[in-house]
Amino acid sequence: YGYGRDLRIDQYHYRPQVFSDRGLLAGVQVTPPAVMSLSPVDGVESEFTLQPAEVMLRFVATVETLRKFGRIDLTSKGRPTKPFLTKLIKTLGWEAELEKAADTPLPQATQFFFKLVQSAGLLQDPPASAGLGVGSRASAFSTTPYPTQAAAWIKGYRSLTRWMEYIPKGMYIEEESTSAFDKFNSMRAALLMALAALPDANAWYRLDDLSEGIYERIGSHFSLVYLHRFYPAYGTKPDQVEEQRAAWRNELHKSWREVEHPWITHAVTGPLFHLGLVAVGHVPGAKKTRPTVFRLTPLGRVALYDAFRPTDE
């Protein structure tokens, strides 16, 4: 600490990172996350769910279309060019349908599936080419068990860049900056961990309650927008500190409900639904047009919940 050459960059930009050797991690026993305090919901109606085969068809269609295209043209920064994406969107033909789905909208669906295919290592650099192409691993991957495929999609989803489920109120996204996208990935990791911490993997839960449960665990430490930390005003008397702290917590909670809660709703009803990991639905008498409750699908339980819990052999 201090000034000059002794000044640490993370003194102002706190981004702790943990590294470990793969051999060490291989010997670590997986510990399930602490169970969240959520109450199950009964009487769910109008359930929406996708079967694993339906999910796989989207990826197969994406891979086979890319295979027919041959080379995938990239920009100087390694991204697919806009003409290429336009051609891919037009050929696949389901982007507008998924984006306008009333209950389970998925924005920029073509780019979403393309990025997951790429993150799964199904694309590779062809010889003597400036672009990408479908790799030899793609055909074999499509025949692997659904949980194996789901694990790859989940891993890719946690590290997506330049794709968003929803842009919260008050959040400005600078295209060339990675910090905002890093925040989205942190929030995705928190959401996936929360799904692994559900009290009952087979029960229905309110999206509102899920949001509140995540807030209780990370709300005072993380925000997609600027995080206001608590500092008592100069000259505050000791007996007034707790009063100010309570006011700060109220503002923090209000911000979460305006920013993170809508994002969580869009993430669950959007990408997690279209990956077949969750089912969504309504409860009787609900006035909201979008689903208000969710549950893990059998695939979601295996890929998200059981992954943290050892099975008896």
Side-chain angles (χ1 to χ4, degrees):
Y1 296 98
Y3 296 93
R5 64 182 181 182
D6 295 325
L7 181 65
R8 289 172 49 177
I9 189 170
D10 60 354
Q11 184 172 348
Y12 297 110
H13 302 281
Y14 181 62
R15 294 180 60 189
Q17 298 183 31
V18 178
F19 301 90
S20 180
D21 181 80
R22 289 183 179 273
L24 177 62
L25 291 177
V28 175
Q29 182 177 359
V30 177
T31 301
V35 175
M36 303 179 74
S37 299
L38 302 182
S39 299
V41 178
D42 297 323
V44 175
E45 60 183 22
S46 303
E47 176 182 345
F48 302 91
T49 185
L50 289 178
Q51 297 301 318
E54 297 177 84
V55 178
M56 187 188 71
L57 286 176
R58 294 284 186 195
F59 286 105
V60 170
T62 302
V63 169
E64 292 307 311
T65 300
L66 293 174
R67 195 191 304 276
K68 291 179 181 178
F69 284 178
R71 191 182 71 179
I72 302 170
D73 296 324
L74 303 177
T75 66
S76 59
K77 296 183 178 181
R79 307 172 196 165
T81 63
K82 289 184 177 180
F84 171 80
L85 282 176
T86 299
K87 180 182 178 182
L88 183 61
I89 290 170
K90 183 177 180 180
T91 304
L92 290 174
W94 29 255
E95 174 143 324
E97 174 189 350
L98 295 182
E99 186 166 3
K100 295 179 181 179
D103 296 291
T104 56
L106 182 66
Q108 298 180 300
T110 304
Q111 191 170 357
F112 172 73
F113 286 107
F114 173 84
K115 284 180 173 292
L116 292 191
V117 166
Q118 184 178 22
S119 69
L122 306 187
L123 305 179
Q124 64 182 16
D125 296 321
S129 172
L132 294 174
V134 175
S136 57
R137 182 170 175 263
S139 297
F141 184 82
S142 64
T143 63
T144 59
Y146 291 138
T148 302
Q149 296 184 45
W153 310 140
I154 291 170
K155 181 179 179 181
Y157 176 63
R158 283 200 305 261
S159 59
L160 284 177
T161 58
R162 293 178 175 79
W163 183 91
M164 292 154 288
E165 301 85 342
Y166 169 78
I167 301 179
K169 176 183 176 182
M171 187 172 191
Y172 171 73
I173 304 298
E174 187 176 345
E175 180 65 23
E176 298 305 320
S177 173
T178 60
S179 60
F181 297 102
D182 289 342
K183 280 193 170 186
F184 280 115
N185 284 328
S186 296
M187 195 66 204
R188 288 167 185 146
L191 173 58
L192 294 172
M193 187 62 68
L195 295 178
L198 295 175
D200 183 349
N202 299 311
W204 287 91
Y205 298 97
R206 293 180 180 85
L207 285 165
D208 288 354
D209 293 344
L210 176 67
S211 174
E212 290 298 300
I214 299 175
Y215 169 78
E216 290 177 2
R217 297 197 172 186
I218 69 170
S220 60
H221 308 285
F222 175 84
S223 176
L224 287 172
V225 292
Y226 179 76
L227 178 64
H228 294 272
R229 301 187 181 277
F230 175 69
Y231 301 101
Y234 178 76
T236 301
K237 297 180 179 180
D239 59 346
Q240 295 177 325
V241 172
E242 287 308 311
E243 181 180 345
Q244 291 187 8
R245 192 189 305 275
W248 165 74
R249 286 173 177 163
N250 288 337
E251 286 300 313
L252 208 63
H253 200 180
K254 178 182 177 181
S255 175
W256 182 276
R257 289 171 175 170
E258 293 176 347
V259 177
E260 280 76 20
H261 175 61
W263 182 91
I264 290 171
T265 298
H266 282 79
V268 172
T269 61
L272 297 187
F273 171 82
H274 287 280
L275 289 176
L277 302 174
V278 300
V280 296
H282 300 273
V283 294
K287 297 182 179 180
K288 296 182 179 180
T289 57
R290 299 193 66 173
T292 56
V293 294
F294 75 96
R295 68 168 175 82
L296 293 178
T297 61
L299 179 63
R301 173 168 182 164
V302 172
L304 294 173
Y305 190 88
D306 293 346
F308 287 90
R309 292 160 176 83
T311 58
D312 296 330
E313 298 182 355

